[in-house]
Every structure is written in structure tokens, then in C-alpha cells.
Amino acid sequence: LKPCRLWPADLPTVLRVCVGPRTSDSCASASDGTMLDTRLRYGATESRAEALLSQSVPGPKSFSQAAAPFVAEFVGTFALVFTVGCCVLSVGDPSWNAIAIGLALMAMVYATGPVSGGHLNPAVSLTLCIVGKLPWPLMLGYWVVQVSGGIAAGFCVCALSTPRKAFIEPGPPFTWQYSVTAEFIYTALLCFVVLNCAVARRNNPRDDKNQFYGLAIGLALVAGGYSVGGISGACLNPAVAVGFDVSSSPAGATGWSLCWMLAELMGALVAAVLFRIVRQEEFGNSSGLSTASDVEAITPFAFTFPAFEPGFASKCLSEFLGTFVLVLTVGLNIIVGSPAGPWAAAAALTCMVYSLGNVSGAQFNPAVTLAMVLRSRCCVRDGIAFVAAQLLAGVMAGLTVASFHSAGPMRNTTFELGPGIGYSPATAGFVELLFTFVLVYAVLASSTVASPAGWQTKQNNYFGLAIGSRLAGGGVANC
């Protein structure tokens, strides 16, 4: 095993090695399989290159190599839980807490992903294990270090914030049933986003993996934080729940972490089931799906493999799930009086667009579906079915929000759709027309056109952020 003499100018950040004698022939090109890309895949403990190298260079791993993934999980979980604790126990303005925690998760996912997979959450490790992306023994080892990191961070935060403690308990006036349901729903969302963005092969071809996975995962936590932070604390992570419950127990913690943990693990299980339905190619005969050279820029969301077309049921479920998450997030932010409703809605939309863009087109809006049909990026039959799925999801999400509202702090307040105070229906209608136009235009412009020829990737890493940002802008301007 010797260093390769050829370092392509267009791949300055990728380490390449050659297996075999150090000759010009052995280092000539990557097409013969002798050039190996040593980048790690998120959700896996070793890359294809490492697997091949381990066959070519036999021998046990050193202690540091074997311990590195567990150290990364401990450090990453510690940093995440410590950030949560500082935000919760701070005496400052809590309006930015969810964004701070989501950004911390995003940063640590990008930082530890190449080493351990960047799970930082026992629920994430479980959902990856269920779908076959992580061995069971490794999952159990990750659980130990993740929970240990959460407990250590909990004690550190509580020691720094004495006498304040971080209790795990239902947010008044909600009862534990609502809190557990909230943890279940948004942990399922977080795990579903991880599966679709970080390990799904059609989002991560072998030679052209996406770079938006950490952003999408962090935004899923932002959406959950603003939506259910006042209901359950928005732990969405057994390491957070157990860490704070154990560290606060001397001050009389209530021991709710077990209920929270069970709900979160159930959410991980449901996320794995939904992933299996919408990503059937992950579990069947899907030869040819892992190489970007087999990809054609077919819109919408121009990263579609011609060898596989998602089934009709998978696409309809995709539209239902995305719309349900979006409408639920909007509704929960309204009934709990969240100061950041548009940001939470934009975060939910962005992470679901990234997750399901190459399944159904991630339209999640009848206006967007109509535009896709008119632009010939969606057939009429699919368009009608998508609108039906979107409307059904909206109704189901509305009923769920109504249930939470009946037990919430604003239960005696009725929220009606209509013009804001001081504005006429005509003014409100014009504003809705204008911002819907801008949103649909952003979708069409960012997701239904071919990537520039000069790009070195066939991935579209910005389309979800562009669409979500447009919703955030319109939401803030039009509140």
C-alpha cells in the first residue's frame, strides 16, 4: 500500500490511495477499481474503501481506531446535551433555544459523522439498526456511550447552574399523555429525516453523496423544539431525557425519563417502518442505484435514477407525511403561542423536502402540485392523488392540533382563518396570492431545472433550503 502519485485537480479534498505496486498503470484512473475514495458514509462505521483496504492489508485495528467511533459518540452527545442544558437553564430569552440546539446538533453531526456516523441519539441508532444500516452489537455500544455522555453533560450543566435543575416532566397544563405523544411524533420525524437524508442510497450515490444531511437533521430538531418544547420539553433523544433526569434526581426529579425514552424509541420504530414503505428500493433488487454515473437529471428534484421509479403508494404516502408534518408544526406553534412559528414551519418544510424530494417531488401543497402538473413534471393522475393526500393530511393534522389545543394554555381562544386586524379580505387575499406565487416560483426554479453543466456534482444541495427560506420569509412578512 503506497501513496498514489496522481492527485486530480478537481478533487483536492479527497484522499486517494492505490492498492498494488506503485506504477503509473496502477495509479492511472479510478475506473479500474484500484483508486479508492476513503470518505466515510454517514450511518456506517467504515466506507467501501476501508472495507477493501482491510482485505488487502490484514491485521487488527489499533485501540485508537476501535475506540474512535465510541469517543466521537460520547463527545458529540455530551456537546449536544450540554447545549440543551445551557439553553433550558439560562435566565435569558428562550426564543432562540430551539435554533441554538438545532445548530449544535447540525455541527456535531457534520463533525462526528465521518468517524461514528454522528448518531448522538439512541433513538437514531435504533432506527438505523432496524433498517439494517447498523449492527446490533455496535448499536448497544453506542447506547452506552450516548447515555453516558448525556448523564455527564447533565451533571456538568446542573453543577454550573446550581440551584436550578433541568426536570423532565410534562409542560403545564398538558398531561403526560400529550407530552409522550409529542415526543413520539417528533422523534419519529427526526429519525425519518436521518434515514432519508443520511443513509438512503438514492440520496447518497457512492461517488456523489449529498452535503445537506446535517442541515436537514438539525432543522428537524428546530421544528420539534418550537412545536413541542412547551408540551414535553422537546427532548426527542433518550440521552437528553435520561441525562437530565438522573442528574436532577437529588433535587427531586420525577423520573419521567422512562416514559419519554419509550415514546422516543417507539418513534424510531415507526420511522423505520415508514422509511421501508417510501424507500422500497433499499430493501429489494436495486442494482445500479449506487453510482452517480448512472444518474440522469430528470425532474422534479433532478436527481432521479432511471432504473427505479417509486411506487404510486409510496409517492402518495410521501405527500401525506410531508404535508402532515408541515401543518402539524404550524398548528402547534399557534396554539402554544410560539414566537417563531414561521421559522419552525420553514424548518419542517426544509427537512421534509430534503427527505422526500426524490420520492414524490415533495410538493406538500396543492398550489405547488398544480404548478408541477402545468409544467409537465407531474402527470394529472398523480397530481389529483397528491392533492387528495395533502388535503387528508391537513385534516388529520388539524384534528391532532385541535386535540392538543383542548388541553393547552390557550384552550379558551379560538383561532380562525381570516384577515389580520386592520386589513380587508382583499388585502389579505392579494398578499396570499403574491407570496404563494413566490413560493411556487422558488420550487420550480430550484428543483425542476437541470444543474449547471460546470458543477462537479449532480446533487442539488440547495433546493430544500431555498424552498424553506421562501416559506420563512413569507411567513414573517405575512403574519
Side-chain angles (χ1 to χ4, degrees), residues 440-459:
V440 173
Y441 178 78
V443 172
L444 296 177
S446 63
S447 65
T448 68
V449 296
S451 300
W455 282 17
Q456 296 182 7
T457 175
K458 292 184 180 180
Q459 290 274 19

Side-chain angles (χ1 to χ4, degrees), residues 182-196 216-217 219-225 227 236 264 267-268 270-271 274 321-322 324-326 328-329 344 347-349 351-352 355-356:
E183 288 290 314
F184 166 78
I185 292 174
Y186 279 93
T187 303
L189 167 63
L190 177 62
C191 293
F192 187 73
V193 171
V194 170
L195 290 172
N196 281 278
I217 295 167
L219 290 177
L221 192 56
V222 172
S227 300
L236 316 184
E264 290 154 0
V270 170
L274 294 174
L321 292 174
F324 179 86
V325 167
L326 177 60
L328 179 67
T329 300
L349 178 60
C351 68
M352 292 304 286
S355 297
L356 299 171

Side-chain angles (χ1 to χ4, degrees), residues 172-174 230 335-337 404-405 407-413:
F174 293 98
I335 66 168
V336 299
F404 277 90
H405 182 42
M410 305 173 71
R411 65 174 69 89
N412 296 322
T413 302

Side-chain angles (χ1 to χ4, degrees), residues 63-409:
F63 175 79
S64 60
Q65 290 175 320
F70 301 98
V71 174
E73 286 295 308
F74 179 90
V75 172
T77 307
F78 180 94
L80 174 61
V81 178
F82 188 83
T83 303
V84 173
C86 289
C87 290
V88 170
L89 298 179
S90 171
V91 296
D93 184 1
S95 300
W96 296 97
N97 285 357
I99 291 180
I101 296 168
L103 291 177
L105 175 61
M106 179 188 70
M108 296 313 297
V109 164
Y110 279 129
T112 63
V115 181
S116 66
H119 303 172
L120 316 181
N121 185 333
V124 170
S125 296
L126 176 62
T127 199
L128 289 167
C129 189
I130 293 173
V131 300
K133 303 295 184 180
L134 186 72
W136 285 97
L138 187 58
M139 182 204 74
L140 296 176
Y142 276 11
W143 276 15
V144 172
V145 295
Q146 289 161 353
V147 174
S148 299
I151 293 174
F155 275 110
C156 287
V157 172
C158 290
L160 293 173
S161 304
T162 302
R164 297 186 300 276
K165 300 292 182 180
F167 295 106
I168 302 299
E169 58 186 0
F174 293 98
T175 62
W176 69 269
Q177 293 91 338
Y178 289 99
S179 299
V180 167
T181 302
E183 288 290 314
F184 166 78
I185 292 174
Y186 279 93
T187 303
L189 167 63
L190 177 62
C191 293
F192 187 73
V193 171
V194 170
L195 290 172
N196 281 278
C197 295
V199 301
R201 285 181 291 170
R202 290 203 299 129
N203 268 333
N204 294 278
R206 187 182 303 123
D207 55 352
D208 194 16
K209 297 176 178 60
N210 75 73
Q211 300 301 316
F212 56 71
Y213 64 93
L215 173 65
I217 295 167
L219 290 177
L221 192 56
V222 172
Y226 281 123
S227 300
V228 299
I231 300 173
S232 68
C235 296
L236 316 184
N237 185 336
V240 174
V242 174
F244 286 127
D245 215 6
V246 171
S247 61
S248 300
S249 58
T254 54
W256 282 108
S257 61
L258 180 61
C259 293
W260 266 233
M261 180 176 65
L262 291 176
E264 290 154 0
L265 295 180
M266 284 299 298
L269 174 62
V270 170
V273 173
L274 294 174
F275 177 74
R276 189 179 185 95
I277 297 174
V278 300
R279 298 280 182 181
Q280 297 180 18
E281 70 277 11
E282 295 285 326
F283 306 95
N285 182 13
S286 55
S287 58
L289 293 182
S290 298
T291 304
S293 59
D294 295 333
V295 178
E296 293 180 359
I298 300 176
T299 54
F301 296 88
F303 199 67
T304 304
F305 289 87
F308 182 83
E309 173 70 17
F312 180 72
S314 296
K315 292 190 287 188
C316 290
L317 178 60
S318 168
E319 288 297 310
F320 178 91
L321 292 174
T323 308
F324 179 86
V325 167
L326 177 60
V327 177
L328 179 67
T329 300
V330 172
L332 289 177
N333 275 266
I334 292 174
I335 66 168
V336 299
S338 168
W343 293 107
L349 178 60
T350 300
C351 68
M352 292 304 286
V353 166
Y354 277 133
S355 297
L356 299 171
N358 58 6
V359 176
S360 65
Q363 298 162 24
F364 311 151
N365 185 331
V368 173
T369 299
L370 176 59
M372 289 290 189
V373 171
L374 294 176
R375 184 150 158 65
S376 301
R377 294 301 186 269
C378 177
C379 68
V380 174
R381 185 204 68 165
D382 285 359
I384 295 173
F386 288 176
V387 170
Q390 292 159 3
L391 294 176
L392 177 61
V395 171
M396 295 298 294
L399 293 175
T400 304
V401 171
S403 176
F404 277 90
H405 182 42
S406 66

